[in-house]
Amino acid sequence: MSKEKFDYFIKGEKDKYEVVIGLEVHAQVLSKSKLFSGSSTKFGADPNNQVSFIDSAFPGMLPVINEECVKQAVRTGLGLNAKINNYSVFDRKNYFYADLPQGYQISQYKNPIVGEGKVLLDMPYGSKEIGIERLHLEQDAGKSIHDMDPSNTYVDLNRSGIALMEIVSKPDLRSPDEVNAYIKKLRSIMRYLGTCDGNMQEGSLRADVNVSVRKEGDKKFGTRCEIKNVNSIKFMQMAIEYEAARQVELIENGKKIDQETRLFDTKKNETRSMRSKEDAHDYRYFPDPDLLPLKLEQKLIDDLKKSLPELPDKKKERFIKEYGLNVYEANVLVSEKEISNYYEEVAKLSDKKLAATWMMGDLFAMLNDKGLDISRSPISAKHFAELVQSIKSGEISGRIAKEVFEIMVETGDNPKKIIESKGMKQQSDPKELEKIINEIISRNKDKVDQYKAGKEKLFGFFVGQVMKLSGGKANPQLTNEILKKLLKG
Amino acid sequence: MSDITNQSLSEIIDNVKTKKISSLDLTKAYIKNIENAKKLNAFVTTTFDLALDKAKQFDKKPTFNKLLPGIPLAVKDLFCTENTKTTAGSNILNNFIPSYESTVTKNLWTNGSFLLGKLNCDEFAMGSSNETSHFGNVINPVGDQLVPGGSSGGSSSALAADLTPATIGTDTGGSIRQPASFTGTVGLKPTYGLCSRWGIVAFASSLDQAGPMTKTIKDCAIMLEAISGFDKKDSTSINKDKEQYSKNLKDNIKGLKIGIPKEYRVDSMPKEIDELWEKGKKILKDLGAQLIDISLPHTKYALPTYYIVAPAEASSNLARYDGVRYGYRSEKGKDLIEMYEKTRSEGFGDEVKRRILIGTYVLSSGYYDAYYLKAQKVRQLIKKDFDDAFKKVDSILTPSTPSSAFKIGEKTNDPVSMYLNDIFTVPVNLAGLPALSLPAGVDKQGYPLGLQLIGKALDEQKILNIGYAFEKNCGFKNEIKKWWS
């Protein structure tokens, strides 16, 4: 694979600008109950059906930390190669809103549970490291519903108190493509770890995007704007593109960029000012006196570290070494835990390289077509391996294999059965093939003569005739060999 | 039986256990007293029907082995009580009926007692005279012009007036000990974390602690035994075995070292407070205790520190009273912000607003370091003062308050002079220690005065023992004429 050069710049009238992006990703912790209460976290329940007195901030209610959420944060931190802090503190972030029952969000401010870490991205121009600033635990707020009634706003507190991990990157990202790769990598790591399902439609993963621009070659960062709460990669990319262009235009017109919080309007495809720095909330953070500082024993961290599954970066290296895949193949096949599991199951039972080619080709195309995850693939890994093996052993040709594949998708049958019942087995018996070839030679004497006289292009014609007569089942390799031999004779 | 309500809780328990009185008759006696004492305004809510029901149930199937068998009790209206209105003395909660029971009151009920009513208090426990309550001020049975102290003023008044055999209050900066001192009763603020805060309307979470208010030390030990204990629903609750304070009560204090901190001799202190302190020292010395002069050098910073930390936490704790989910909501607002503004303006009283403003200010960006952070540092120094002192002594003796009960209205326009009332009590809350206020004498007007015994963390038994010995030898008797009935 030839290495491309990084080339994402905004071209203004006068200068070329580099885009600097930092992300604050909010990832919902995968846990049965909320961060400080026993309420369920299940998605899609009727409004206000998963709300305890703690979540709705009744008088005298007190938060108690959910140990599993803490472990999930530690696991995620370890997955991000980050420093786990043995001492962290929960703070109150104070502001008023109808869907924030306590009047404050319990978060971590000065002392987060996870410190600096890093994430590796494989870009077409090489591998790139993105720094992680921190990861902290915090409560989600409820949801205000403005469109149920013309004059009232309704509040659903099911989400109130659910644990979120806020993962803050360093301003290391430079293009919408890198943002795409970064989010996918984060999601992949968390799915491997089982700490966040990464489901963006359900809001389990959303991000605040910080964007600034600077002239190419400048060392100093420009003034940044924060685009709040963007909930799909596509919208993030669109928001960045719009925002970067807006900032460049301001600069080129000699105007100043105000540090502010903006919203991305997905209908108009533009960002809009939400509040300026002057209007920024004073959150009056202070340590939550209802909760003791969170002290983690080193042993707990070590034990969690030992129990971590193999993560994508490690797995990729192993796939390259163990299965002889190239970097591109390995990257694709480790991108999701389920895909890598499927591949490994197939590779164990069949040709490793051929399995990769067929998975990334026909299988992915089919899944994509049907909009299915690999976990719901109509073809089991075992059947898929049998198919790959049938190709490898020469039992069927690649062309026939595509037909078998189609039937497998429809019926879910195993390929052996399909091949046998439909008589699709490749003709690999030399004697049978010789019979067919002799027949063709005798029918086409003129062409044989022309071939012998030097018109070698005609070889393709003979192959075609063999295939036609054998119903496509003739083993191509063997056909070539025998045909060459007999034509000479 | 002539008037059983004159007796101490432990005497009443004995009388119930020996069947000299039924729970029902006992309950009726208190109901009668309460109905005759409306003038004191000690109750926000009475639960007579519930109490009579429970009393009958008890008499039908008595459980004499319980700590508080068939005993009716009124409690401060800061404890959430299931199906009984809980107001915290505030208009903003004037219609709030919890569907859960605070851990501390639940502990009372599982020990055999039942609810007689909810006692008036300063709004959200913010006050030292019970004059900030939305439900009006409470009168001290000691005199019809006197405040009962605060914030547990309804509790101290009801106890001293025989409207409940014992009670519980909460103490954030002296709210149990100061009213106890003003009414000639016993009040204990336990070690922070000994009693669960779950279900108590929060004022300042790092300081709030529930505790008993009783007529005698023995009663205090019984009540503490009933309410204390680990609660996994409160993350700041201490996980330790329960103690039998009443059974282990001893009056031998020979050889114990009592610290006398020189910083508690404040310039403006009336002579009679000083004399009371001298009297207390003498009693303990005569009982064989050893008096040791100690220094708690950061004492003078305690009050300003307290009035930063407590309002800061309160400003955040009270944010939940926004009219959205429960409690009072003003219907005048046109939008969400206006609804908040009107609800909170109409729902909170002046003192609460003052503290929310102070608290919001000290946490604001640009002021946080100068106020809140500095206060936290000073708090550590105050704690360390006590740690150092307790290397040398078993307990510390101080006055409870710098004066006796003052007149209603006397300090309402001067918040700082009101705050100064807590000068001897707040250091203890900042350090999270247990402290007992015990009646020790009267001033020249005949108003009760209290002394404070401070203990090491979780050393409740020791200060109860010292108090027990002191009580037997002090000769204090609360002479309250029932002028109101």
Side-chain angles (χ1 to χ4, degrees), chain B residues 183-259:
Chain B
T183 53
T185 55
V186 174
L188 171 69
K189 186 210 87 82
T191 306
Y192 183 77
L194 187 69
C195 301
S196 170
R197 291 185 298 114
W198 194 87
I200 303 175
V201 176
F203 162 14
S205 311
S206 76
L207 301 159
D208 294 347
Q209 187 60 205
M213 299 173 77
T214 56
K215 290 178 180 169
T216 69
I217 293 288
K218 193 172 178 194
D219 292 358
C220 186
I222 294 169
M223 289 291 282
L224 182 64
E225 208 171 305
I227 62 173
S228 60
F230 174 62
D231 181 6
K232 63 178 191 320
K233 290 188 287 187
D234 174 0
S235 306
T236 60
S237 171
I238 298 170
N239 194 350
K240 68 180 272 289
D241 291 339
K242 264 187 89 84
E243 287 189 48
Q244 293 183 295
Y245 300 105
S246 56
K247 201 177 139 197
N248 296 330
L249 208 53
K250 289 185 195 77
D251 60 4
N252 181 0
I253 60 163
K254 213 170 237 171
L256 286 188
K257 292 175 184 142
I258 308 294

Side-chain angles (χ1 to χ4, degrees), chain B residues 355-370:
Chain B
R355 298 205 195 186
I356 290 175
L357 286 172
I358 294 171
T360 304
Y361 180 80
V362 299
L363 288 174
S364 296
S365 108
Y367 300 96
Y368 181 89
D369 289 358

